[in-house]
Amino acid sequence: MTDFFKDIPAIKYEGPKSDNDYAFRHYNPDEIVMGKPMKDHLRFAAAYWHSFAWPGGDPFGGQTFERPWFSDTMEAAKLKADVAFEMFQILNVPYFCFHDADVRPEGNSFAENTKNLEEIVDCFAQKMDETGVKLLWGTANLFSNRRFMSGAATNPDPDVFAFSAATIKTCMDATMKLGGENYVLWGGREGYETLLNTDMGRERQQAGRMLQMVVDYKHKMGFEGAILIEPKPQEPTKHQYDYDVATVYGFLKEFGLEGEVKMNIEQGHAILAGHSFEHELAMARELGIFGSIDMNRNDYQSGWDTDQFPNNVPEMALAYYEVLRAGGFTTGGTNFDAKLRRQSLDAEDLILAHVGGMDACAAGLKAAAAMLDDGKLEAARNARYAGWDTDAGQTLMNSDLDGITSSVLANNINPEPISGRQERLENLVNRYL
Ligand code: XUL
Ligand code: CO
């Protein structure tokens, strides 16, 4: 045991009336919701990068956090792993997620990076065995090091493409070795700053080829998890190719990968793309590519990806409503891609941030389940489209413009507008919260 979280107890469910900061009010892991335990609906994961690798910087200032593991040595990486697994246990999160660069010291070459990663993977394997904590997904950080400043797969320099491909392979190997349930690709620098120096055609082809190689390697190695792309419209690059769910779907179709790759949808990224989170979730469900979620909250005024811990229950309810409508998670889960504010310096801040986030998600899930169980929202939606289920509606779909025109004339069709009843439905939703 380290002394980082000293005096902080394991967090238990105490119910909504508890006034203990170190307790769950809504997250009751074994409580049955729609036929299965809450923990199996939510499948919570903690993100290694924000909680353990981020120093607290912003565009105007550097490190605010002082952590005993902040140094680029293997010894420090192992101390960081000790503390990380202590946090997973205090919170009782079943999963974690990591990038290679979060967990290993940065080497001077690809070979050194690989050796460092392998050493940490062995250390993780032992800790996972001891604690029962599992890996939701692994990924490669192909955006922080300066070699990736002009992109990874989409870099104008083929050597960077090669370095990136080799790094992805090592991260897929690590994920497979640790029994990870998904492998994620987020293209933070797969985009451009200015079209003046960018060959967009080539860059898209390079990105497509890299993704095909990832899928080929998944099959070659026998990885049974899902390959997930995480859309984001911009930040760090001005324009990113994986703009949103619909854009990525078009890209997958173009490269023949629509049956191979699903989506990891992040709340804050949806907001940056000008969508609601539930829009992106519903779009992925309709396209058959819903996979997993990165849970956080974005500031609605700043226009940055602020990665705050979620605490807005009405938003969570609408999000989990779409997750439940998609049939829930299979390999996916709820990963807290969220970080503390840079003034929240203490170890307890890290715990309480997750406790609040887990409770907000659990409260949202319960409200979403009640909405679905009750069936009033779905009944209203179905009633709105009921005309399409009639014989006339079906005939219309299989007709053509000539046939339809004759029918409009023969039946003197002259539609009367019908209320969309939005406020009534909004009032209904509020009753479940
Ligand atoms: C960045 C982001 C990443 C991905 C994984 O905005 O969300 O942390 O989740 O690379
Ligand atoms: Co994310």
Side-chain angles (χ1 to χ4, degrees):
M1 279 289 274
T2 72
D3 64 359
F4 188 72
F5 292 117
K6 64 175 179 304
D7 304 331
I8 297 185
I11 312 297
K12 300 269 186 284
Y13 174 73
E14 291 185 6
K17 296 214 166 70
S18 171
D19 68 354
N20 176 6
D21 285 345
Y22 294 95
F24 294 121
R25 280 155 188 73
H26 298 283
Y27 183 55
N28 185 10
D30 295 314
E31 185 179 322
I32 303 295
V33 175
M34 294 187 92
K36 70 179 182 192
M38 217 186 249
K39 64 173 187 281
D40 298 340
H41 277 287
L42 293 163
R43 293 167 57 86
F44 283 133
Y48 216 93
W49 50 102
H50 287 314
S51 290
F52 304 108
W54 182 61
D58 72 7
F60 295 89
Q63 178 173 347
T64 56
F65 299 144
E66 287 175 343
R67 308 293 196 219
W69 57 86
F70 277 177
S71 99
D72 227 6
T73 64
M74 188 54 77
E75 202 191 347
K78 289 188 174 162
L79 172 62
K80 177 160 58 172
D82 287 342
V83 174
F85 275 79
E86 283 168 16
M87 186 184 86
F88 305 154
Q89 284 180 285
I90 289 171
L91 294 168
N92 193 18
V93 281
Y95 291 99
F96 74 112
C97 300
F98 72 90
H99 305 79
D100 52 350
D102 311 330
V103 301
R104 53 132 179 81
E106 188 69 32
N108 288 319
S109 63
F110 170 71
E112 227 173 273
N113 279 350
T114 307
K115 187 176 140 291
N116 290 348
L117 181 63
E118 282 169 354
E119 194 170 334
I120 285 294
V121 163
D122 288 341
C123 158
F124 279 178
Q126 196 185 335
K127 288 182 176 298
M128 290 167 72
D129 210 39
E130 284 162 12
T131 59
V133 176
K134 294 176 285 183
L135 178 63
L136 187 65
W137 48 262
T139 188
N141 177 329
L142 303 177
F143 43 88
S144 293
N145 192 286
R146 65 195 289 274
R147 74 171 67 83
F148 303 118
M149 70 175 194
S150 311
T154 59
N155 203 291
D157 179 354
D159 280 353
V160 181
F161 182 99
F163 196 101
S164 304
T167 302
I168 290 175
K169 180 196 158 347
T170 62
C171 291
M172 289 178 76
D173 289 343
T175 302
M176 170 99 169
K177 190 161 181 195
L178 295 173
E181 299 189 23
N182 307 271
Y183 184 81
V184 165
L185 298 132
W186 170 63
R189 300 210 186 263
E190 312 293 26
Y192 63 81
E193 298 297 333
T194 171
L195 272 179
L196 296 177
N197 66 9
T198 300
D199 185 334
M200 197 196 276
R202 276 185 196 266
E203 293 201 359
R204 292 185 75 263
Q205 290 302 316
Q206 288 168 216
R209 186 64 200 124
M210 182 73 91
L211 193 56
Q212 285 167 340
M213 288 185 199
V214 167
V215 168
D216 286 349
Y217 189 60
K218 166 195 154 147
H219 292 303
K220 186 171 165 191
M221 81 201 294
F223 179 63
E224 287 181 356
I227 302 292
L228 304 176
I229 286 193
E230 186 176 322
K232 186 174 183 182
Q234 77 271 333
E235 204 197 296
T237 40
K238 175 181 157 42
H239 177 93
Q240 280 161 217
Y241 297 127
D242 297 338
Y243 196 95
D244 61 3
V245 169
T247 307
V248 174
Y249 186 69
F251 185 85
L252 295 178
K253 278 270 203 197
E254 182 181 345
F255 291 93
L257 295 168
E258 67 273 21
E260 298 279 2
V261 178
K262 292 184 186 168
M263 296 296 110
N264 182 40
I265 302 169
E266 178 165 324
Q267 206 269 3
H269 297 181
I271 305 300
L272 288 180
H275 301 306
S276 65
F277 192 27
E278 59 269 24
H279 166 93
E280 288 290 81
L281 296 167
M283 182 65 83
R285 184 193 64 240
E286 293 306 329
L287 296 171
I289 52 174
F290 171 67
S292 198
I293 63 178
D294 267 12
M295 196 64 258
N296 52 32
R297 168 168 58 104
N298 228 356
D299 187 288
Y300 285 103
Q301 286 82 45
S302 72
W304 298 333
D305 184 13
T306 55
D307 284 335
Q308 288 165 259
F309 278 86
N311 72 352
N312 186 329
V313 177
E315 281 188 349
M316 308 283 86
L318 294 181
Y320 283 108
Y321 191 73
E322 297 303 331
V323 171
L324 291 174
R325 286 184 74 211
F329 296 122
T330 52
T331 62
T334 303
N335 171 44
F336 288 107
D337 195 349
K339 61 181 181 240
L340 293 173
R341 298 306 84 193
R342 68 196 293 266
Q343 301 174 54
S344 302
L345 300 179
D346 299 340
E348 68 167 47
D349 294 320
L350 210 41
I351 301 297
L352 296 177
H354 282 91
V355 169
M358 291 164 79
D359 258 347
C361 290
L365 173 76
K366 284 193 287 190
M371 292 196 268
L372 261 187
D373 256 351
D374 232 20
K376 291 201 175 84
L377 265 179
E378 288 317 292
R381 193 197 315 268
N382 291 337
R384 192 161 180 240
Y385 292 86
W388 286 101
D389 296 332
T390 62
D391 285 347
Q394 291 300 302
T395 310
L396 198 56
M397 269 297 187
N398 299 314
S399 190
D400 60 16
L401 293 187
D402 276 333
I404 291 177
T405 307
S406 308
S407 156
V408 169
L409 286 170
N411 298 306
N412 192 18
I413 291 177
N414 196 8
E416 268 302 315
I418 302 167
S419 172
R421 300 174 141 185
Q422 179 170 336
E423 294 76 9
R424 185 172 183 265
L425 297 175
E426 287 168 348
N427 296 352
L428 175 63
V429 166
N430 275 354
R431 280 183 237 152
Y432 298 95
L433 299 172

